[in-house]
């Protein structure tokens, strides 16, 4: 039986993964939850699986339903992108009985997706890090920026929750930082 890979995640890099897996003889199945998505249009895709969105409460049940007709030894799940990776890692124990998961160990995924834990781990290894901390107030942020200097890079604790629709902001000076704080206040975040 031909080995098959279910790719989860519609990202630019998905097309590269599709082509590579097809070249190596895998049956490539792309998950999609909306209309036709770019990776699915590749001639290297053998099939698609129409499913709920990854953040749907029904996604996991539908994935398990898809897998029930598959042979675990010749079926692979390849999550692409942070949301897919986090969901599969969180449910790895139950899904690994139904397919081979193409990803790092779930504990590694968990560590990498949690910035605070990653910083603590890097510190233990002696990896140099820029000064960082969690902030509770605007005054706290301003004090830290004055103490450390610019540029100031602002990110959430995890990248699943953007700041003003971006993963990170870089403020090169005090006026730009003040404008950022003002925009943040106006947005209600």
């Amino acid at each position: 039986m031909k080995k098959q890979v279910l790719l989860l995640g519609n990202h630019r890099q998905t097309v590269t993964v599709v082509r590579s897996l097809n070249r190596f003889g895998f049956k490539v199945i792309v998950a999609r939850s909306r209309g036709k998505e770019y990776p699915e249009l590749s001639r290297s895709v053998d099939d698609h699986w129409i499913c709920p969105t990854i953040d749907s409460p029904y996604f996991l049940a539908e994935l398990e339903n898809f897998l029930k007709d598959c042979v675990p030894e010749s079926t692979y799940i390849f999550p692409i992108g942070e949301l897919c990776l986090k969901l599969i890692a969180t449910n790895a124990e139950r899904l690994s009985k139904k397919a081979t998961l193409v990803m790092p160990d779930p504990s590694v995924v968990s560590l990498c997706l949690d910035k605070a834990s990653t910083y603590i781990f890097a510190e233990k290894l002696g990896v140099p890090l820029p000064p960082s901390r969690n902030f509770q107030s605007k005054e706290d942020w301003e004090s830290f920026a004055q103490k450390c200097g610019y540029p100031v890079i602002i990110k959430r604790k995890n990248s699943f929750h953007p700041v003003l629709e971006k993963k990170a902001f870089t403020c090169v000076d005090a006026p730009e930082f003040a404008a950022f704080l003002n925009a943040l206040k106006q947005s209600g975040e």
Side-chain angles (χ1 to χ4, degrees):
M1 179 178 199
K2 189 175 186 178
K3 292 183 177 186
Q4 62 181 7
V5 180
L6 174 62
L7 297 175
L8 304 175
N10 179 25
H11 304 280
R12 274 182 258 148
Q13 61 269 33
T14 306
V15 176
T16 302
V17 175
V18 163
R19 290 175 183 156
S20 296
L21 291 170
N22 178 274
R23 217 177 0 252
F24 282 99
F26 286 90
K27 177 182 178 183
V28 179
I29 305 166
V30 174
R32 72 174 170 99
S33 55
R34 297 177 186 92
K36 288 212 181 241
E37 295 176 351
Y38 185 70
E40 185 188 355
L41 300 175
S42 170
R43 67 177 180 260
S44 299
V45 171
D46 296 296
D47 203 355
H48 63 275
W49 171 55
I50 299 173
C51 59
T53 58
I54 193 79
D55 57 351
S56 165
Y58 306 108
F59 180 84
L60 200 56
E62 288 297 319
L63 176 57
E64 288 183 302
N65 189 44
F66 170 84
L67 293 172
K68 76 175 188 218
D69 296 327
C70 298
V71 177
E73 296 77 31
S74 61
T75 302
Y76 298 82
I77 299 174
F78 194 138
I80 301 173
E82 292 176 353
L83 287 174
C84 295
L85 193 55
K86 182 179 181 184
L87 179 73
I88 300 305
T90 302
N91 295 282
E93 188 174 336
R94 118 188 199 195
L95 292 172
S96 64
K97 295 174 181 130
K98 300 169 182 173
T100 299
L101 307 180
V102 183
M103 58 182 241
D105 185 84
S107 64
V108 172
V109 171
S110 179
L111 174 69
C112 291
L113 293 178
D114 181 339
K115 284 185 181 76
S117 296
T118 302
Y119 287 172
I120 291 167
F121 186 69
E123 240 173 28
K124 286 179 184 176
L125 295 175
V127 175
L129 297 168
S132 64
R133 60 185 282 212
N134 292 325
F135 299 104
Q136 304 302 320
S137 68
K138 177 184 174 198
E139 292 76 23
D140 203 14
W141 288 27
E142 290 170 331
S143 170
F144 185 76
Q146 284 178 340
K147 184 173 111 183
C148 291
Y150 292 91
V152 172
I153 300 169
I154 301 127
K155 299 192 243 182
R156 294 266 189 211
K157 183 178 175 183
N158 70 52
S159 57
F160 301 119
H161 305 288
V163 179
L164 300 176
E165 299 181 13
K166 291 186 176 184
K167 281 190 173 188
F169 270 89
T170 302
C171 300
V172 296
D173 56 26
E176 193 172 354
F177 188 59
F180 165 78
L181 291 174
N182 188 43
L184 191 63
K185 182 180 178 182
Q186 289 179 357
S187 74
E189 285 192 48

